[in-house]
Amino acid sequence: MTAYYHLPGLFEFYDFYKVFLPLWREHPDWFYDWCEIASIYGAPGDCLWSGGRTSFGQAATADVIALMNKYELSARLTFSNSLLREEHLSDKKCNQLCNAFEKTKVASGVIVHSDLLADYLKTNYPSLYLVSSTTKVLTDFSDFSAELQRSDFKYVVPDFRLNKAFDYLSQLPQNEKDKVEFLCNECCNINCPDRKACYENVSRKNLGENIPDHKCRQPAGEKGYRFSLAMKNPAFISLQNIQETYLPLGFSNFKIEGRGLGSALLLEFILYYMTKPEHQIEVREAIYLDAMLDLF
């Protein structure tokens, strides 16, 4: 049984992956042999169609595609804006990105929220597979089940609050289990009522609206993301959970969030989910590059 990870920062952490992916390829003994990298997702900054988190990637598209082709990985564009209208579909930058990623060695995908955009992509870029975004905040299992049954989507990312709904998850047929992509390391309060509003705020900003940032009202929200807090979340999917529960139940796709964070946290996610403990120091040394690095 293999766990397939979908990692953040296609454009945002391009420089990180330039260093990490050679380690992944050249030192397989450093990493668990039961996991693989299935895709890397993200977007350049200032993409009209973007959503979920504000993208800050500055890497050149050609360089990103070359890296994905070299390591034969699937790339995903995070075009999960929930508020797109017909006039937005002609956006030049986003269409150029879709055209470029249609030509990758391994099939690329697009993470979408808007059905309008999904229909447009199916017509104009049929080589790109579609992923139903967690930004839809489908917290009712019947709604999530209906989404799984849609042939439009190769994968569906449920709201993290369904991560432990095993009474329902275990009853899914295998072809639908293969489409489920769990969000493992969400830090958001499991009782937060504002998750959809938070995502909508990002969508509005990407459309150019001059509005203030969404302010999290949940306990400890002002601290921002903390992996230590995510680990205490009732919906957190641990390494042990993947090995002992999800894989035996027939689930194999796991999404790691983090493209709105920093590469230091991305490294911690990779160390935790993919790297054997006895080799974590070697990965750290290779990533940091400079043994004299000062953190402050």
Side-chain angles (χ1 to χ4, degrees):
M1 296 180 290
T2 300
Y4 295 98
Y5 287 121
H6 304 268
L7 302 179
L10 178 65
F11 285 82
E12 296 89 341
F13 300 134
Y14 168 77
D15 289 332
F16 174 92
Y17 286 116
K18 276 201 306 182
V19 177
F20 172 71
L21 290 177
L23 299 178
W24 170 259
R25 179 63 54 83
E26 296 166 13
H27 299 280
D29 56 306
W30 290 3
F31 304 94
Y32 297 119
D33 59 7
W34 50 264
C35 67
E36 294 287 348
I37 300 173
S39 74
I40 302 176
Y41 65 93
D46 302 321
C47 280
L48 198 70
W49 297 352
S50 286
R53 295 289 180 262
T54 300
S55 296
F56 56 88
Q58 299 299 323
T61 299
D63 292 338
V64 171
I65 289 176
L67 188 66
M68 294 298 99
N69 283 341
K70 180 177 180 179
Y71 292 97
E72 298 185 339
L73 295 173
S74 177
R76 293 179 175 180
L77 297 167
T78 49
F79 286 165
S80 52
N81 194 304
S82 63
L83 302 174
L84 296 177
R85 300 186 296 274
E86 190 75 36
E87 61 265 29
H88 298 137
L89 298 180
S90 60
D91 181 77
K92 183 177 180 181
K93 181 176 183 178
C94 294
N95 277 281
Q96 287 177 336
L97 284 164
C98 289
N99 182 62
F101 279 92
E102 264 207 315
K103 302 176 177 66
T104 51
K105 184 181 294 186
V106 176
S108 294
V110 183
I111 302 171
V112 296
H113 181 128
S114 165
D115 283 344
L116 179 69
L117 180 60
D119 291 340
Y120 178 80
L121 294 172
K122 285 190 298 179
T123 299
N124 293 278
Y125 304 102
S127 296
L128 297 173
Y129 66 85
L130 301 182
V131 182
S132 177
S133 175
T134 191
T135 62
K136 295 180 180 180
V137 192
L138 302 178
T139 56
D140 186 284
F141 198 88
S142 61
D143 293 333
F144 170 60
S145 180
E147 194 80 353
L148 282 173
Q149 293 171 35
R150 293 178 59 178
S151 61
D152 298 339
F153 301 119
K154 185 174 182 179
Y155 300 98
V156 177
V157 185
D159 187 87
F160 74 109
R161 284 164 283 208
L162 295 180
N163 283 358
K164 304 294 178 72
F166 295 120
D167 287 348
Y168 298 103
L169 290 167
S170 62
Q171 300 303 312
L172 293 174
Q174 188 59 50
N175 66 311
E176 292 182 11
K177 289 181 177 180
D178 292 339
K179 294 176 68 171
V180 179
E181 186 178 313
F182 292 101
L183 183 58
C184 294
N185 59 327
E186 178 56 62
C187 188
C188 185
N189 189 300
I190 198 166
N191 297 312
C192 177
D194 298 330
R195 191 166 175 82
K196 185 171 286 188
C198 179
Y199 285 138
E200 186 174 301
N201 179 271
V202 175
S203 291
R204 292 189 182 281
K205 284 180 171 293
N206 285 329
L207 292 177
E209 295 185 25
N210 185 18
I211 57 174
D213 291 338
H214 175 79
K215 298 297 183 183
C216 182
R217 299 178 296 170
Q218 299 305 303
E222 74 282 354
K223 296 181 180 179
Y225 187 93
R226 294 288 188 274
F227 194 24
S228 57
L229 291 179
M231 288 178 167
K232 298 173 184 176
N233 194 309
F236 179 69
I237 297 178
S238 69
L239 183 71
Q240 185 177 15
N241 293 154
I242 291 173
Q243 291 178 290
E244 297 181 1
T245 303
Y246 290 89
L247 289 178
L249 279 175
F251 297 100
S252 57
N253 287 283
F254 303 93
K255 180 176 183 177
I256 308 301
E257 79 160 45
R259 65 190 177 95
L261 304 173
S263 58
L265 262 178
L266 172 59
L267 174 59
E268 291 305 313
F269 300 151
I270 285 174
L271 292 173
Y272 175 80
Y273 281 107
M274 299 168 58
T275 311
K276 295 176 183 177
E278 64 269 26
H279 293 293
Q280 290 182 1
I281 187 61
E282 292 164 291
V283 176
R284 281 195 179 94
E285 288 174 335
I287 294 294
Y288 290 157
L289 298 179
D290 182 356
M292 298 301 293
L293 175 69
D294 290 319
L295 296 179
F296 295 98

